[in-house]
C-alpha cells in the first residue's frame, strides 16, 4: 500500500505530498472499496446534478487532499491511510452546504428526506469511527469540512451551476488551494515531528531491555585490576549514549501541537533522561569510588525510573 501511494506521515511530510491525492484511490480490500463506491454513487449522483461535473470534480479532489491533511492532523505519524471516504465525506459536506444555502431549490418533502438521510449518514459513520481504530475519522472530518467550505463558496458566488464555465472552476480551485496552503505547513511539520518521535519510541522499546541487560552483565563481570574497573566504567558510559540520543529526539515532542499520545512521548523522554543519569552515575561510582552521595543519587533515580515505567504502562493501556 505504501508503494502504491498510501498516506503515511513519515513519507507524506518528507517530500511525498502527492500521497495526499493517491491515498484516496487505494483501499484495504474489496469490502472497503465497495462501501466507499456505494456511498459515492448515492451521494455523488445528486451532488453532480446540483453542482455540475466540473465543480463536483473540483470539490471531490479538494476534499480528498483535505481528508489526507485531516488524517495527518489527528493521527500524526501513527497511521497508514487509504480510501475515498475523505473525498466522499467532502461530497456529503457540499450537499449539506447546498441544502443550507439553496433550500428553496427543493420541494419540502424531498428536502426533509434528503436532510434526514445525510444526518443519518454523518452521525452513523463518525460514531462507528470512534469505536474502530482502523476507521480514519480524521480523514472523514477533514473531507467533510472541506466539502462544506467549497460548497458554501460555490453557492455564495452564485455561479450558474447548470452551465458553469472554466472561470468558475478555476476560481473554486484557487480558493480551495489557498485554504490548503494555510494549513499545509503546520500540519506537515507537526506530522513529521510526530513520526520522528514514534520512531524514537519504537527504537526505545526494541533496545531498552537489551541494553539494561548488557549493563547488568558488564557489572557482574569479574575484574582483576584498577584498569579493568576503568574499562568497565567506560563500557557502561558508552551504553548510556543510546538513552541520551533517544531523549534528544523525544525532546521535540514538546513542540508538536496535537499528537494524540503527546503525554507518552513526554514520559518516555523523562524516562530516557533518568536512565541516562542512572547509567552515568553507575559509571562514575566505578571510576571514582562509591560514596554515600552517589549511592543516594542512584537509589533516588532508580525510584523515579520505576514510577515512570508504571506511568508509561498505564498511559499505554488507556491510549
Amino acid at each position: 500500500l505504501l508503494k502504491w501511494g498510501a498516506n503515511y506521515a513519515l513519507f507524506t511530510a518528507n517530500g511525498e505530498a502527492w500521497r495526499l491525492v493517491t491515498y484516496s484511490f487505494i483501499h484495504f480490500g474489496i469490502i472497503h472499496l465497495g462501501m466507499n463506491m456505494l456511498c459515492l454513487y448515492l451521494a455523488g449522483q445528486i451532488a453532480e446534478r446540483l453542482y455540475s461535473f466540473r465543480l463536483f470534480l473540483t470539490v471531490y479532489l479538494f476534499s480528498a487532499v483535505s481528508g489526507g491533511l485531516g488524517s495527518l492532523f489527528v493521527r500524526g505519524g501513527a497511521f497508514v491511510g487509504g480510501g475515498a471516504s475523505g473525498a466522499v465525506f467532502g461530497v456529503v459536506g457540499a450537499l449539506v452546504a447546498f441544502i443550507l444555502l439553496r433550500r428553496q431549490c427543493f420541494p419540502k418533502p424531498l428536502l426533509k428526506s434528503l436532510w434526514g438521510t445525510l444526518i443519518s449518514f454523518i452521525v452513523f459513520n463518525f460514531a462507528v469511527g470512534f469505536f474502530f481504530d482502523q476507521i480514519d475519522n480524521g480523514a472523514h472530518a477533514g473531507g467533510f469540512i472541506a466539502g462544506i467550505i467549497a460548497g458554501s463558496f460555490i453557492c455564495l458566488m452564485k455561479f450558474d451551476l447548470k452551465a458553469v464555465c472554466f472561470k468558475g472552476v478555476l476560481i473554486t480551485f484557487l480558493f480551495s488551494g489557498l485554504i490548503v496552503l494555510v494549513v499545509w505547513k503546520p500540519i506537515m511539520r507537526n506530522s513529521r515531528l510526530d513520526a520522528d518521535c514514534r520512531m524514537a519510541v519504537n527504537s526505545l522499546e526494541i533496545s531498552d531491555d537489551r541494553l539494561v541487560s548488557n549493563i547488568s552483565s558488564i557489572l557482574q563481570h569479574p575484574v582483576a585490576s584498577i584498569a579493568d574497573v576503568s574499562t568497565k566504567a567506560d563500557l557502561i558510559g558508552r551504553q548510556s549514549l543510546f538513552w541520551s540520543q533517544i531523549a534528544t529526539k523525544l525532546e521535540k515532542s514538546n513542540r508538536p501541537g496535537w499528537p494524540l499520545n503527546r503525554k507518552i512521548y513526554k514520559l518516555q523522554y523523562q524516562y530516557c533522561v533518568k536512565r541516562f543519569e542512572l547509567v552515568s552515575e553507575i559509571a562514575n561510582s566505578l571510576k571514582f569510588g562509591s560514596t554515600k552521595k552517589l549511592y543516594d543519587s542512584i537509589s533516588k533515580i532508580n525510584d523515579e525510573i520505576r514510577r515512570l515505567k508504571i506511568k508509561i504502562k498505564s498511559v499505554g493501556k488507556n491510549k
Side-chain angles (χ1 to χ4, degrees), residues 39-60:
C39 294
L40 178 60
Y41 173 73
L42 295 173
Q45 61 178 332
I46 303 171
E48 187 176 343
R49 287 174 185 173
L50 295 176
Y51 282 101
S52 82
F53 169 73
R54 292 174 180 176
L55 285 175
F56 168 77
L57 183 60
T58 304
V59 170
Y60 185 88

Side-chain angles (χ1 to χ4, degrees), residues 24 28 32 70-71 75 122 129 138 154 176 183 187 210-211 217 236 271 277 286 302 316:
S24 63
F28 298 91
H32 186 209
S71 178
R75 296 279 189 159
I122 294 162
I154 292 167
S176 303
V183 299
I187 289 179
R210 178 176 57 80
L211 289 173
S217 298
I236 290 173
Y271 169 79
E277 289 177 2
L286 289 171
N302 248 326

Side-chain angles (χ1 to χ4, degrees), residues 151-213:
S152 300
F153 172 76
I154 292 167
C155 290
L156 293 172
M157 285 292 289
K158 295 182 168 37
F159 291 137
D160 181 358
L161 300 180
K162 290 184 179 179
V164 67
C165 61
F166 176 75
K167 184 179 178 182
V169 174
L170 182 62
I171 292 171
T172 305
F173 182 79
L174 291 174
F175 170 77
S176 303
L178 181 62
I179 293 173
V180 169
L181 285 175
V182 169
V183 299
W184 183 281
K185 190 173 180 180
I187 289 179
M188 286 296 193
R189 176 181 174 276
N190 191 83
S191 298
R192 191 182 304 115
L193 290 174
D194 189 58
D196 290 343
C197 289
R198 288 178 189 277
M199 289 185 69
V201 169
N202 287 341
S203 297
L204 180 64
E205 290 173 349
I206 291 168
S207 303
D208 186 61
D209 289 340
R210 178 176 57 80
L211 289 173
V212 171
S213 179

Side-chain angles (χ1 to χ4, degrees), residues 2-3 5-20 68 71-73 75-81 187-203 249 252 265:
L2 287 173
K3 287 179 180 178
N7 189 21
Y8 181 49
L10 196 62
F11 297 156
T12 307
N14 283 290
E16 297 184 6
W18 47 266
R19 291 178 179 273
L20 292 173
S71 178
L72 294 179
F73 180 91
R75 296 279 189 159
F79 195 70
V80 176
I187 289 179
M188 286 296 193
R189 176 181 174 276
N190 191 83
S191 298
R192 191 182 304 115
L193 290 174
D194 189 58
D196 290 343
C197 289
R198 288 178 189 277
M199 289 185 69
V201 169
N202 287 341
S203 297
K249 292 178 181 177
K252 294 186 291 187
Y265 290 164

